[in-house]
Amino acid sequence: MSPTFRRYKGYSFKIYSNEEERMHIHVIKEDHEAKFWLEPQVELAYKGDFSQHEINQIQKIVESDADFFKEQYQLHIGGRIDD
């Protein structure tokens, strides 16, 4: 199950279950997908087919909601294994 934690301007922000331990968020719009690390700071992990202009916009959204996404990640995944 991959819940969507936010929808904004056509973007869906999701977390995939059991993918990997490091906190991250996937951003999907139509058939494009990007991935951002949430720790230790927000950082682009995978750009997909988004333009650089869109990636810059998406990164601003992820940065502004990073704390919310981290909380949701912990709730969804059930805590960090290495904590």
Side-chain angles (χ1 to χ4, degrees):
M1 182 174 170
S2 303
T4 298
F5 293 103
R6 182 164 187 215
R7 289 190 195 326
Y8 182 73
K9 294 188 177 185
Y11 299 107
S12 296
F13 297 81
K14 301 181 118 189
I15 295 170
Y16 297 141
S17 299
N18 301 320
E19 185 184 22
E20 56 189 282
E21 295 175 30
R22 187 175 174 190
M23 284 189 197
H24 62 280
I25 191 89
H26 292 264
V27 185
I28 300 161
K29 185 175 183 181
E30 300 167 0
D31 61 346
H32 302 313
E33 182 171 353
K35 177 177 174 180
F36 286 85
W37 300 118
L38 297 173
E39 60 177 16
Q41 69 272 342
V42 173
E43 179 183 355
L44 179 64
Y46 175 73
K47 181 180 175 199
D49 292 328
F50 285 110
S51 70
Q52 190 59 49
H53 176 73
E54 278 187 291
I55 287 295
N56 293 342
Q57 290 178 329
I58 295 166
Q59 184 156 350
K60 288 178 185 176
I61 297 165
V62 174
E63 287 172 347
S64 70
D65 287 345
D67 289 339
F68 170 75
F69 291 138
K70 288 177 188 179
E71 288 173 19
Q72 295 306 308
Y73 187 96
Q74 288 179 333
L75 291 172
H76 179 67
I77 301 299
R80 302 280 315 284
I81 293 172
D82 60 349
D83 282 348

